[in-house]
Amino acid sequence: MPDAVYVRDAFARIADRYVLTNHVLSFGADIWWRKVVTSRIRKWKPRRLLDVASGTGDLALEIQDHCPDCEVIASDFCAEMLVHASSRGLQNTVVADALALPFPDGGFDVVTVAFGLRNMADYPAALREMLRVLKPGGHLVILDFSLPDGVLRKPYRLYLHHVLPRLAGLLTGQKDAYEYLGGSIESFPSGEAMNGLLETCGFTEANATPLTFGVVSIYQGTRPAP
């Protein structure tokens, strides 16, 4: 699992160019991925939502714009990223470590984490902390990279390990900040492995939805009612 200090320093260095780089590296697909997540959340009509590892606030802003009756709080352990989130219009931000969230038990209807769980030092500890702050019956939604199956797997891995770091380096001037990305995606649990991890950490109704031929996946779990 990634080293927390390295990850925080890397994100601090690329904060100024993070949003543009994501759009370029995903060919704009990241915008659609977040809209799919937000559409799912809107159906639940949550009153309070926590976006963990919010970064520059892309997902939190999308939810804030399309769920006007929901109080959206964004947390991240990199203060530099949240400065950008606030400047873009995100109303509530909190600098916090996902492994020790400064919120009471059962305070949120929904917890989201987009492209952040993969960067955390302890996946089970982070998931149990997200479970703790969810209300009984509340939902966790994870959006993160996965590896496609079939004929796309080999060319995608070529892009991931060789093309993406070079392109990101040109865009940000910080190539090394992206060199760990391919390895982190390769080792991150996906599909049934992620569903099993969610269930081990106390969630029920775990399920996975692949998007864009499996390049990313949405994972969902529910905190069981008493």
Side-chain angles (χ1 to χ4, degrees), residues 132-143:
R132 179 185 67 78
V133 300
L134 270 174
K135 294 179 180 178
H139 304 287
L140 169 68
V141 182
I142 301 166
L143 174 65

Side-chain angles (χ1 to χ4, degrees), residues 31-45:
I31 298 171
W32 177 68
W33 298 333
R34 293 182 179 91
K35 289 184 181 298
V36 174
V37 171
T38 301
S39 177
R40 182 177 298 196
I41 291 170
R42 284 182 65 187
K43 297 175 182 178
W44 299 325
K45 299 180 180 179

Side-chain angles (χ1 to χ4, degrees), residues 10-25 30 34 53-58 76 80-81 84 88 114-116 118-119 145 171-172 177-178 180-181:
F11 278 113
R13 285 186 282 122
I14 63 175
D16 291 344
R17 305 284 289 176
Y18 185 72
V19 176
L20 174 63
T21 303
N22 285 346
H23 295 340
V24 172
L25 296 179
D30 64 308
R34 293 182 179 91
S54 191
T56 51
D58 296 79
D76 199 287
E80 290 86 350
M81 297 289 271
H84 287 274
R88 298 171 67 202
F115 307 108
R118 176 176 38 82
N119 296 317
F145 291 110
L171 291 169
T172 65
Y178 284 86
Y180 87 101
L181 182 62

Side-chain angles (χ1 to χ4, degrees), residues 79-100:
E80 290 86 350
M81 297 289 271
L82 289 180
V83 168
H84 287 274
S86 297
S87 70
R88 298 171 67 202
L90 196 56
Q91 296 173 5
N92 301 309
T93 63
V94 177
V95 178
D97 188 338
L99 303 185

Side-chain angles (χ1 to χ4, degrees), residues 198-222:
L198 288 171
E199 291 169 354
T200 298
C201 293
F203 291 93
T204 59
E205 303 175 12
N207 63 82
T209 304
L211 301 176
T212 315
F213 308 105
V215 169
V216 301
S217 295
I218 298 174
Y219 303 100
Q220 185 178 313
T222 302

Side-chain angles (χ1 to χ4, degrees), residues 4 8 50-55 73-82 92-103 108 120 126 129-130 132-133:
R8 182 172 55 220
L50 174 65
D51 186 41
V52 178
S54 191
I73 298 174
S75 70
D76 199 287
F77 75 161
C78 180
E80 290 86 350
M81 297 289 271
L82 289 180
N92 301 309
T93 63
V94 177
V95 178
D97 188 338
L99 303 185
L101 293 170
F103 305 107
F108 296 95
M120 295 178 190
E129 188 69 350
M130 295 177 206
R132 179 185 67 78
V133 300

